[in-house]
Amino acid sequence: MYDLIVRGGSVVDGRGTQPRITDVAVSGDRVVTVGDLPDEPAATTLDAAGFVVCPGFVNPLSHSYLSVLEDGTSLSELVQGVTTQIFGEGESMGPVPAAARAALEREAEPYGVEVTWTRLSEYLDTVERSGCTQNVASLVGAETLRIHGVGYEDRPASEAELDVMRQVLAEEMADGALGVGSSLIYAPGSYARTEELVGLCEVAGRFGGTYATHVRDEGAGLLSAIDELLEIVRRSGVQGEMWHLKAAGKPQWPLMEHALGKLQDARDAGVRIGADVYPYTRSGTGLASTVPARWHEGGPEALYERLDDPAARREIRADMMTLGRYGDTPDAEDVLLLRLRHPDNARWQGHTLAEVAATRDQDPLDTALDILATERTTVFSAFHSMSEDNLRRELSVSWVGVCSDAASIAPLGRSLDSPTHPRAYGSFARVLGHYTRDLGLLTLSEAVRRMTSLPASTFGLTDRGVIEPGYVADLVVLDPDRIGDRATFADPHQLSVGVRDVVVNGVFALRDGKPTGARPGHRLRRGRRAF
């Protein structure tokens, strides 16, 4: 007797092949049979007639590091069919550098999370023990490694310091980390030179790991940033992934076709490189990212102290004026403030920087610096900087997947205290609904492949992302006519619709659209990848 048979659904297997009406049988945590099983008995039978049955989605860029410990239901992603979340953009939850532990503890405090771990592997084990509906895995953050070896100084790593970083990385890779993740626009990660990143990726490459990156420049320097990424991948031999591919800032929009051409040429030459996107034209990051990197040297507290110094603030302001005020978003009306914690600022959540500045009768740049100085923590904001035409072009490319670049949350409790980017609630459902069903940019089979077998292969999850005997039973049952996102910037805390059932490791985590209370998620380790 099988443990579960999903009967009569339109099976989209994750490989991009045409759907077929058939049954899927599960024993334990594995798919054991895909085929017609009209008379076979099972402990549980699920009628999927009229629905699509596909593999669980793999989110290659999640920021649910702490939210998954606060609430293991991970609802905003679970109801979209996400069954695996991958962490590690620049920062990772371990190995925790002594110099960064206090900052991590402050970050964790609002989530009610106690930082009891030191190693990345210990953090992932903590998530599994705490209970989560989804699987979790992580790369080791290049910024985290740099803090271990160099600290917050803007200078090249010495050979001895790089050896420390390599050793720490090797230990985490041996424990199953997926590779190295960098974010080269944020200090101190931005202080790393290409040689340092090659040295780290050579270690990851020995373990079959992946190098994923938020490249050094997504604006005017996009093409040279891609050149650096390709150099790192070529020299180290790792699989490469360009997180949230974009050309930021209207003057840079024409660069996208050249960027895609560079990446395609590299692939044609045998370079293992891919990319992903989130399906929105506003980015989301901290307001402090608009302050030039040199002012971040010494860490976040050093930046805040400089903002308190009138002379230093004048220099910071002058630099920002020279370099573009708000990075690739020059206009204050295109900067939307989403999360502010200081009592004097909280009323400005959901307002543009221009609106706040007008109320305060200030230049918006001074308003931004005032807010950073009073908040003294991450001021999460959305920046309108991307082109819808470019987004559609990116989604037309076969090696471009889908990510959220967000933490999984729920429309209740503390989450409702501030707006958020709708990508936290809708990235995968938006691709399946708006871009696939409504606009026809992708076939359903191709959209599912981009969310399943493509990221699973990229990150070495060798037994996920496909419905086939022997693969893990991470399964989604969805209504193709109903699947869609509902979250908007005006009303972001809205769950997506259209996913009926989610099975994780053979166990129902969502049934009939409702969480079951089960926490079947595991921490995943890198597997041996075949190319």
Side-chain angles (χ1 to χ4, degrees):
M1 179 183 289
Y2 298 112
D3 291 320
L4 169 67
I5 295 180
V6 182
R7 292 195 188 277
S10 179
V11 175
V12 177
D13 65 8
R15 295 194 185 276
T17 56
Q18 289 296 312
R20 60 178 177 133
I21 307 297
T22 192
D23 306 327
V24 178
V26 175
S27 289
D29 67 349
R30 301 277 161 171
V31 173
V32 291
T33 304
V34 180
D36 295 334
L37 302 167
D39 302 316
E40 295 293 331
T44 301
T45 299
L46 187 67
D47 182 3
F51 289 81
V52 166
V53 181
C54 62
F57 305 141
V58 177
N59 184 353
L61 179 54
S62 168
H63 294 294
S64 301
Y65 315 96
L66 296 170
S67 64
V68 74
L69 287 170
E70 180 184 38
D71 180 6
T73 306
S74 203
L75 192 61
S76 67
E77 295 212 354
L78 179 66
V79 300
Q80 293 183 79
V82 174
T83 57
T84 296
Q85 299 189 56
I86 295 174
F87 310 140
E89 186 189 7
E91 296 178 327
S92 56
M93 287 292 100
V96 181
R101 179 169 284 275
L104 177 58
E105 290 172 345
R106 285 195 301 272
E107 185 182 357
E109 186 177 359
Y111 294 88
V113 171
E114 182 182 358
V115 181
T116 58
W117 62 87
T118 298
R119 298 280 304 280
L120 176 59
S121 55
E122 293 169 351
Y123 158 77
L124 293 168
D125 287 339
T126 298
V127 175
E128 182 174 317
R129 286 196 305 271
S130 298
C132 50
T133 60
Q134 295 157 325
N135 305 303
V136 293
S138 185
L139 301 104
V140 185
E143 177 176 310
T144 299
L145 292 169
R146 172 161 253 269
I147 297 171
H148 265 286
V150 182
Y152 291 92
E153 297 179 38
D154 184 1
R155 61 172 176 79
S158 69
E159 195 62 30
E161 290 166 339
L162 186 54
D163 282 344
V164 170
M165 297 158 67
R166 289 180 180 125
Q167 180 59 39
V168 171
L169 173 60
E171 291 170 2
E172 293 289 5
M173 292 298 299
D175 280 342
L178 304 184
V180 175
S182 71
S183 188
L184 301 178
I185 71 162
Y186 303 113
S190 59
Y191 302 153
R193 278 52 166 183
T194 303
E195 289 296 326
E196 177 181 317
L197 296 166
V198 170
L200 296 177
C201 287
E202 286 173 343
V203 174
R206 293 203 299 269
F207 291 87
T210 299
Y211 173 60
T213 182
H214 178 154
V215 294
R216 201 174 293 275
D217 191 339
E218 295 173 323
L222 174 63
L223 300 183
S224 61
I226 290 175
D227 286 339
E228 180 187 38
L229 164 60
L230 294 174
E231 179 183 351
I232 293 166
V233 172
R234 288 187 184 104
R235 290 175 58 187
S236 64
V238 295
Q239 166 77 36
E241 176 83 352
M242 185 174 172
W243 274 321
H244 49 61
L245 171 66
K246 65 172 76 75
K250 189 172 183 178
Q252 282 69 250
W253 291 352
L255 295 179
M256 179 50 63
E257 203 61 41
H258 300 286
L260 291 172
K262 272 184 178 289
L263 293 166
Q264 185 62 61
D265 288 347
R267 288 175 60 86
D268 292 344
V271 179
R272 296 182 298 163
I273 186 68
D276 53 64
V277 297
Y278 49 81
Y280 300 89
T281 56
R282 285 182 184 263
S283 62
T285 190
L287 186 63
S289 68
T290 63
V291 176
R294 74 186 185 99
W295 297 105
H296 293 262
E297 187 172 9
E301 289 304 320
L303 170 63
Y304 303 138
E305 289 173 9
R306 291 176 182 123
L307 289 170
D308 290 337
D309 178 345
R313 184 189 284 217
R314 283 194 295 271
E315 289 190 60
I316 292 170
R317 190 185 194 283
D319 272 4
M320 293 176 72
M321 288 292 292
T322 300
L323 297 174
R325 296 177 72 87
Y326 318 109
D328 298 311
T329 306
D331 298 320
E333 57 264 30
D334 288 331
V335 180
L336 183 66
L337 303 171
L338 296 176
R339 186 172 64 235
L340 298 165
R341 293 176 176 172
H342 193 281
D344 292 343
N345 299 328
R347 68 186 183 278
W348 304 123
Q349 291 184 150
H351 291 269
T352 68
L353 186 59
E355 290 170 337
V356 180
T359 302
R360 294 166 58 133
D361 194 25
Q362 272 186 312
D363 182 285
L365 191 51
D366 295 315
T367 300
L369 295 176
D370 281 349
I371 287 172
L372 289 172
T374 54
E375 287 290 312
R376 307 186 86 81
T377 188
T378 300
V379 179
F380 187 57
S381 306
F383 299 80
H384 192 206
S385 63
M386 289 175 280
S387 157
E388 175 68 20
D389 288 343
N390 276 351
L391 175 56
R392 295 183 187 192
R393 175 70 179 94
E394 291 153 18
L395 285 170
S396 74
V397 177
S398 65
W399 39 264
V400 173
V402 180
C403 71
S404 76
D405 193 18
S408 182
I409 52 179
L412 48 84
R414 194 176 59 81
S415 295
L416 298 178
D417 292 344
S418 61
T420 192
H421 196 301
R423 67 192 183 187
Y425 284 97
S427 289
F428 297 86
R430 183 169 177 79
V431 169
L432 290 169
H434 180 62
Y435 289 103
T436 298
R437 180 192 59 236
D438 300 340
L439 298 183
L441 294 182
L442 300 160
T443 67
L444 180 62
S445 293
E446 177 64 5
V448 168
R449 184 188 69 83
R450 306 278 194 89
M451 301 177 183
T452 56
S453 66
L454 177 62
S457 174
T458 296
F459 290 93
L461 305 178
T462 55
D463 55 0
R464 313 266 166 177
V466 176
I467 297 179
E468 190 172 290
Y471 279 72
V472 174
D474 291 345
L475 305 173
V476 174
V477 179
L478 63 86
D479 183 344
D481 296 324
R482 188 166 171 260
I483 187 78
D485 64 306
R486 299 191 302 169
T488 64
F489 281 100
D491 192 6
H493 294 290
Q494 302 291 319
L495 293 172
S496 291
V497 296
V499 169
R500 191 187 72 177
D501 310 293
V502 178
V503 174
V504 180
N505 298 312
V507 177
F508 281 99
L510 189 79
R511 186 138 191 209
D512 293 326
K514 296 180 176 59
T516 63
R519 297 287 188 272
H522 296 320
R523 65 144 308 181
L524 305 184
R525 293 169 170 82
R526 180 205 67 262
R528 183 173 59 83
R529 188 163 54 247
F531 290 98

